[in-house]
Amino acid sequence: MSIKRKLLIIFIVLFVSSLFFSVSIYLSLENYKSAIKTVDVANTIDLRVIERRIVADDYVLSQVDRAKIQWFTLQKNLKAFVSQNQELFKTQEEKNLVRGISAKFQESDDTFSQIVALYEQQNSASPDTMMQYKKTRLSSELTFKMQETIALSKKLADINALEAQDAQNQMIFLFSLASFFFLFLLILILTLIWRTIVRPISKMQKGTQVIASGNLDFRMGITSRDEIGELAQSFDIMTAQLKRSHEGLENTVKERTASLDLKVQELGIEKEKAEKISAKDDAIFTSLGDGLIVTDEVGTIQRINAAALKLLGFKNEDDLLHKDFCRVITAQNEHGKEMEDSQRPITLAFTEKRLISERLFYGKKDGTMLPVSVTISPVIFDGKSIGAIDIFRDITYERAVDQMK
């Protein structure tokens, strides 16, 4: 099976398991939240029922209007609260308890109303034994009914607390199960990656080092049916072919070595001739009486002879080498007017690709102007100007003679 397919299967398993656990945990969390809300409602009902009992006892003992008003207000609010939240109770047992609590609310409300009516009647008439008996009986009946209500609300709160605990345990179980599952899946993936990718690649790396050291008989020995196995087999085939090529190359090298030695001897002779010609050219360049400057295709000075340095008043050729000809050597025409770069002979020689001869003035290092006769020839190769040769000589004496005529 190819690595690509293995990774695809791993991705699908991860996706499906993540989706399953995400939905399960979400539903468990919603169930837990609902259980907590139901517990809060049940506890609230239980607390209000107890509060109702306290208010009833207060009225029976003191007969104050405040306690009566508080009873009816609590009764009304408690009935409304139970009615609004009764849909939270899902099981049949919880529904029966809620219905029982509502029925006890009504019974205790009727009994409390009778007690209120009896106390009001007592205030408007003289008390007798029968009225006192009724008061005692109704008070006991109210206490009993309220005790029953408290027991029902307590049972409802306990049931919902157990359900909330079960929901919490279920959620913890799902979290633990998901953690263990993904930990197992992670170990499985790491093992698979180690066996199918890391270990074969490490073996191939060591194999390449062995082959690089010159052992062309080494073979990878990886036979897995995936991309790395195919790569290792291709590498073994390449090593075998390289060994055959190497053996053939050794024979070829031996044959070529003798021919190469002969050519080296011939090149040595040619080099000696070239050095003699170069020495001759250097001697001519140095001993030339006229100034000579050689530039490249952009007008940068590459060579300058001693005569040119002397005519221009320079002592060191480094002052001019590798600098722009038009910047370091100024020029004026015969009338003493500064020449622009486009008018200078070297520029014309480049653009027109022909020999240019003119008389002009070159600026010396000390700022004076030297009258010269200039001949500039472009160096043409393959139809392009690759440089220029500027030969100039001092015509100060000739100008003086011309002026005397």
Side-chain angles (χ1 to χ4, degrees):
M1 184 184 295
S2 66
I3 295 176
K4 185 188 229 180
R5 184 170 295 180
K6 292 177 183 176
L7 292 176
L8 179 61
I9 292 174
I10 291 173
F11 173 77
I12 292 174
V13 171
L14 277 174
F15 176 76
V16 172
S17 57
S18 300
L19 183 63
F20 171 76
F21 280 110
S22 297
V23 172
S24 300
I25 292 173
Y26 173 77
L27 294 176
S28 177
L29 183 61
E30 290 297 317
N31 185 37
Y32 177 69
K33 288 165 62 177
S34 176
I36 291 297
K37 185 176 180 180
T38 307
V39 168
D40 291 339
V41 171
N43 288 334
T44 301
I45 292 173
D46 189 38
L47 290 174
R48 291 187 180 181
V49 167
I50 294 173
E51 183 181 2
R52 200 162 143 269
R53 164 68 186 274
I54 295 172
V55 171
D57 290 343
D58 185 25
Y59 181 75
V60 170
L61 293 174
S62 60
Q63 295 94 44
V64 294
D65 290 338
R66 173 187 56 76
K68 179 179 70 174
I69 295 172
Q70 190 176 3
W71 164 273
F72 288 115
T73 301
L74 281 173
Q75 184 75 357
K76 180 180 178 181
N77 293 338
L78 190 55
K79 286 181 179 180
F81 182 77
V82 172
S83 177
Q84 290 172 1
N85 295 281
Q86 62 182 356
E87 71 277 359
L88 295 175
F89 303 99
K90 306 295 183 183
T91 65
Q92 188 61 42
E93 184 179 8
E94 291 174 346
K95 291 179 180 179
N96 292 336
L97 287 172
V98 171
R99 281 196 291 269
I101 291 172
S102 298
K104 292 300 177 181
F105 282 168
Q106 187 60 45
E107 291 176 6
S108 58
D109 194 30
D110 293 341
T111 303
F112 186 81
S113 297
Q114 293 178 23
I115 292 174
V116 171
L118 188 63
Y119 278 125
E120 290 178 351
Q121 182 181 356
Q122 177 182 339
N123 292 334
S124 60
S126 299
D128 56 14
T129 306
M130 180 60 67
M131 185 175 294
Q132 187 66 33
Y133 170 74
K134 287 182 179 181
K135 285 168 47 181
T136 304
R137 181 178 61 79
L138 289 174
S139 297
S140 300
E141 184 178 343
L142 179 62
T143 301
F144 178 73
K145 290 177 180 178
M146 291 180 63
Q147 283 296 117
E148 287 183 333
T149 308
I150 291 173
L152 291 175
S153 64
K154 179 66 175 174
K155 185 176 182 180
L156 180 64
D158 292 342
I159 290 174
N160 282 278
L162 289 174
E163 290 179 353
Q165 185 65 41
D166 290 341
Q168 183 181 16
N169 293 337
Q170 182 184 10
M171 187 171 60
I172 293 173
F173 172 76
L174 282 174
F175 272 112
S176 302
L177 182 62
S179 300
F180 282 116
F181 176 79
F182 283 112
L183 179 61
F184 170 76
L185 196 60
L186 177 62
I187 295 173
L188 184 63
I189 292 172
L190 291 176
T191 304
L192 181 63
I193 292 174
W194 169 258
R195 295 186 60 183
T196 59
I197 299 176
V198 177
R199 188 169 63 182
I201 289 178
S202 177
K203 189 174 181 180
M204 287 183 64
Q205 181 186 13
K206 294 178 181 178
T208 55
Q209 293 174 353
V210 173
I211 294 172
S213 65
N215 184 5
L216 298 179
D217 293 322
F218 180 83
R219 297 294 180 267
M220 297 294 176
I222 298 174
T223 58
S224 58
R225 297 181 178 180
D226 53 27
E227 290 85 346
I228 295 180
E230 294 175 359
L231 179 62
Q233 293 168 17
S234 300
F235 207 92
D236 289 341
I237 294 172
M238 182 185 69
T239 305
Q241 293 175 347
L242 181 61
K243 181 180 179 182
R244 290 193 295 269
S245 300
H246 186 267
E247 291 173 350
L249 184 61
E250 286 181 348
N251 296 330
T252 304
V253 168
K254 291 177 181 178
E255 294 173 357
R256 298 283 178 87
T257 301
S259 175
L260 184 60
D261 290 339
L262 180 60
K263 289 186 177 181
V264 167
Q265 294 176 3
E266 294 174 354
L267 287 174
I269 295 171
E270 294 295 330
K271 180 181 178 182
E272 186 178 352
K273 291 180 180 179
E275 289 176 350
K276 290 179 180 179
I277 294 172
S278 178
K280 182 179 178 181
D281 291 341
D282 288 341
I284 295 172
F285 184 84
T286 305
S287 62
L288 189 65
D290 293 339
L292 191 148
I293 298 176
V294 180
T295 70
D296 60 12
E297 69 275 10
V298 295
T300 302
I301 298 173
Q302 301 298 320
R303 294 193 68 181
I304 183 169
N305 68 350
L309 289 173
K310 183 177 180 181
L311 290 172
L312 295 174
F314 290 90
K315 293 182 179 180
N316 191 346
E317 66 177 9
D318 291 335
D319 294 335
L320 298 174
L321 285 179
H322 309 300
K323 296 181 180 177
D324 191 305
F325 182 93
C326 294
R327 300 283 78 81
V328 296
I329 302 176
T330 60
Q332 296 179 357
N333 60 21
E334 288 186 295
H335 304 292
K337 184 178 180 181
E338 193 75 25
M339 299 180 71
E340 296 181 0
D341 291 350
S342 60
Q343 299 173 342
R344 296 185 61 164
I346 189 169
T347 305
L348 297 175
F350 278 133
T351 57
E352 299 179 8
K353 297 179 182 179
R354 65 181 180 85
L355 187 142
I356 304 294
S357 295
E358 285 189 22
R359 287 190 173 192
L360 45 82
F361 291 91
Y362 272 169
K364 298 174 65 175
K365 183 179 181 180
D366 60 6
T368 61
M369 302 305 293
L370 174 70
V372 293
S373 174
V374 176
T375 300
I376 298 181
S377 175
V379 179
I380 307 297
F381 178 78
D382 198 16
K384 297 181 180 178
S385 297
I386 62 171
I389 299 174
D390 181 347
I391 299 175
F392 62 95
R393 61 186 179 85
D394 184 1
I395 59 171
T396 304
Y397 178 74
E398 295 177 16
R399 283 179 57 84
V401 172
D402 290 340
Q403 290 175 359
M404 290 174 62
K405 291 181 180 180

